[in-house]
Amino acid sequence: MASILAILTSLPAYTIFHITWLLHSIRRPLQLVSLLCLLSNPTATIAKCKLFYTTFLYLAFSQDKKFSIPKDDASRYFGSEFGGTADESTKKLSFKSKTVILIRHGESTWNDTFNPGGRNIALFILFYIPNMIKALLTEAYFFISGKDSQSWFFDSALSTKGVTQIQGLRKFLQKEKMRLGSGNILDGREETAIRELLNVGEAKGNSMVVSSNLRRAISTAAIGLSDRFAVAAAQNGSSDGILLLPSLQEISFNPDAQTILPPRGVAHPTWCDMTIPGVPVDKFSKLIDTQYHTGNKALNSTGLIRLNQFVSDVFSSKCDKDVIVAVGHSLFFRSFFQLFLPRSVEHISKKKKLVNGGTVMVTLGEVTLEDGEKVYLIDPKSIVVVYGGFGKHTKK
């Protein structure tokens, strides 16, 4: 028995020794091969090196998360029917409203490596080192092989779990589509949201899909709404697609919040976009409209700047539909509710993040003041959880 225990306890040390010896023995050939690979594709190498440099700058100097929600809101310019406190004198002001449906992306490879998520904490800690090694090796492979549009850490794509989460949204929409018009959907507003998301029935042509310029959001839109885009993919002349809005880029200075996509570049499919039902891989890039994508967020940008730009985009000529389906990120959406819901309103959306794949519909109002300034407010009564929810308060 003692000899067996001695063998078992010596196995880890024995394994580590031989792995170290093997790596030491082949280090020179590996270095040579890696150098040749890098030199064979200098454009990709330079692009990745620029990304490393940009990430260093953001980690060191970014102010993206360093902003405060103003104490005052725009409720004094909106009527009581919109959750505001305006008096009769504001009736002459120009008022518009649009429906906005928010969808949070699925779990990313960055989340898979660094965040426990719903996993057992003990198992997460136990497998943290192996998972980190896997992530580093994958990143090294992408770098050496010249795959400048792929990365584990930078602009991280959906993880396997993330794809499953978004497939859950797709299946939910398919199920609810079968119930449309049956009277079995408890809330008529939910039925409206389903029609708009799928672009069917009387809602056809009434909505458009916009997305953050980060890959996990783009993939979430393409997979979660694939039944909608399958029609567009089959019709070469269809204008229904995914419009990228840089204003939706996540509020963070981490590498996973830095976009890989060049300004107005072609959005190439990631691993999870290769088998989207109804959307052939050769038509994926055609679905993504990058005309407004100007590259990575500026170093001096803040989340507050982009939040205000996003609501402005919603009412601009960029978004010429009555319903805007916006696919984005947790911190951005939580800040969206904190900034544009009346300060007097207590709502879970101000405190809890929208879950992965979570889908919520709101009505957003815009008032143009006499000096031309535009102010915005979310109607608190309009918030409808379509799928998922906030924090642990989920709906499926």
Side-chain angles (χ1 to χ4, degrees):
M1 179 64 71
S3 61
I4 294 175
L5 287 175
I7 292 172
L8 290 175
T9 54
S10 66
L11 280 176
Y14 180 83
T15 303
I16 292 173
F17 169 78
H18 279 82
I19 291 176
T20 305
W21 173 82
L22 178 63
L23 291 175
H24 179 76
S25 301
I26 64 173
R27 75 183 190 283
R28 290 187 182 277
L30 277 177
Q31 291 172 350
L32 179 60
V33 171
S34 299
L35 180 60
L36 290 174
C37 289
L38 293 173
L39 292 176
S40 67
N41 194 341
T43 303
T45 302
I46 292 172
K48 274 294 175 74
C49 288
K50 284 183 178 178
L51 197 57
F52 292 143
Y53 176 67
T54 301
T55 298
F56 168 77
L57 290 179
Y58 272 87
L59 290 172
F61 304 111
S62 175
Q63 303 292 308
D64 207 32
K65 296 174 68 174
K66 296 181 180 180
F67 66 91
S68 299
I69 300 297
K71 292 182 180 180
D72 296 328
D73 59 36
S75 58
R76 63 186 182 276
Y77 301 112
F78 291 81
S80 57
E81 71 280 0
F82 207 84
T85 58
D87 55 27
E88 292 294 318
S89 64
T90 61
K91 285 190 175 181
K92 60 183 179 180
L93 298 177
S94 172
F95 170 79
K96 298 178 183 178
S97 68
K98 282 193 176 185
T99 298
V100 180
I101 303 177
L102 308 175
I103 303 176
R104 183 191 170 187
H105 66 78
E107 182 193 73
S108 69
T109 52
W110 175 275
N111 298 142
D112 178 68
T113 303
F114 294 106
N115 301 329
R119 289 173 288 181
N120 180 279
I121 297 295
L123 289 177
F124 173 74
I125 295 173
L126 179 63
F127 289 100
Y128 181 79
I129 297 300
N131 286 337
M132 178 60 74
I133 292 173
K134 171 189 173 184
L136 290 171
L137 289 175
T138 304
E139 190 65 52
Y141 165 72
F142 288 145
F143 182 59
I144 293 171
S145 60
K147 297 182 182 296
D148 58 334
S149 64
Q150 301 293 336
S151 176
W152 186 277
F153 297 116
F154 301 100
D155 193 356
S156 53
L158 291 179
S159 66
T160 302
K161 180 180 178 181
V163 172
T164 301
Q165 290 168 336
I166 303 309
Q167 287 174 340
L169 170 60
R170 176 175 177 260
K171 291 176 182 177
F172 167 80
L173 293 176
Q174 288 177 328
K175 181 185 72 174
E176 294 302 294
K177 182 180 180 182
M178 301 295 292
R179 299 168 61 190
L180 289 176
S182 66
N184 292 330
I185 300 180
L186 297 180
D187 193 327
R189 296 177 299 172
E190 294 178 29
E191 183 164 338
T192 298
I194 301 300
R195 293 183 190 278
E196 299 292 357
L197 285 164
L198 293 174
N199 195 28
V200 295
E202 56 265 34
K204 190 172 182 62
N206 192 46
S207 66
M208 64 181 294
V209 180
V210 300
S211 170
S212 156
N213 51 10
L214 299 178
R215 293 184 300 157
R216 55 191 179 276
I218 298 171
S219 295
T220 293
I223 297 171
L225 305 178
S226 60
D227 293 309
R228 171 188 183 131
F229 295 126
V231 177
Q235 301 172 355
N236 292 327
S238 175
S239 59
D240 196 20
I242 303 170
L243 177 68
L244 300 193
L245 291 181
S247 56
L248 276 166
Q249 193 170 350
E250 177 63 312
I251 303 170
S252 174
F253 44 73
N254 289 332
D256 67 320
Q258 312 301 318
T259 181
I260 285 180
L261 183 62
R264 298 180 180 83
V266 176
H268 298 288
T270 62
W271 72 272
C272 57
D273 302 318
M274 299 295 183
T275 56
I276 300 176
V279 183
V281 66
D282 62 322
K283 294 188 177 182
F284 176 85
S285 297
K286 296 177 182 178
L287 283 176
I288 317 302
D289 186 346
T290 63
Q291 63 175 306
Y292 299 118
H293 172 60
T294 53
N296 206 23
K297 56 191 175 185
L299 186 59
N300 62 352
S301 177
T302 67
L304 186 61
I305 292 173
R306 293 197 303 284
L307 284 162
N308 284 306
Q309 182 61 53
F310 169 64
V311 292
S312 177
D313 287 343
V314 167
F315 289 93
S316 73
S317 58
K318 298 177 185 177
C319 302
D320 58 355
K321 300 292 184 179
D322 294 330
V323 180
I324 309 302
V325 181
V327 185
H329 309 272
S330 60
L331 287 178
F332 188 96
F333 288 155
R334 187 174 67 182
S335 300
F336 172 76
F337 285 106
Q338 290 172 345
L339 182 60
F340 297 111
L341 271 176
R343 303 293 181 269
S344 60
V345 171
E346 292 291 331
H347 194 272
I348 190 173
S349 61
K350 291 183 175 182
K351 298 178 180 179
K352 298 291 185 180
K353 295 178 181 178
L354 192 60
V355 300
N356 293 115
T359 306
V360 177
M361 182 172 70
V362 304
T363 300
L364 180 67
E366 177 192 72
V367 166
T368 303
L369 305 183
E370 292 179 350
D371 62 358
E373 180 187 358
K374 299 179 187 297
V375 294
Y376 303 89
L377 195 73
I378 297 171
D379 179 359
K381 304 185 299 297
S382 71
I383 302 175
V384 179
V385 175
V386 181
Y387 177 77
F390 300 92
K392 295 181 180 180
H393 302 268
T394 58
K395 173 184 178 181
K396 297 180 180 179

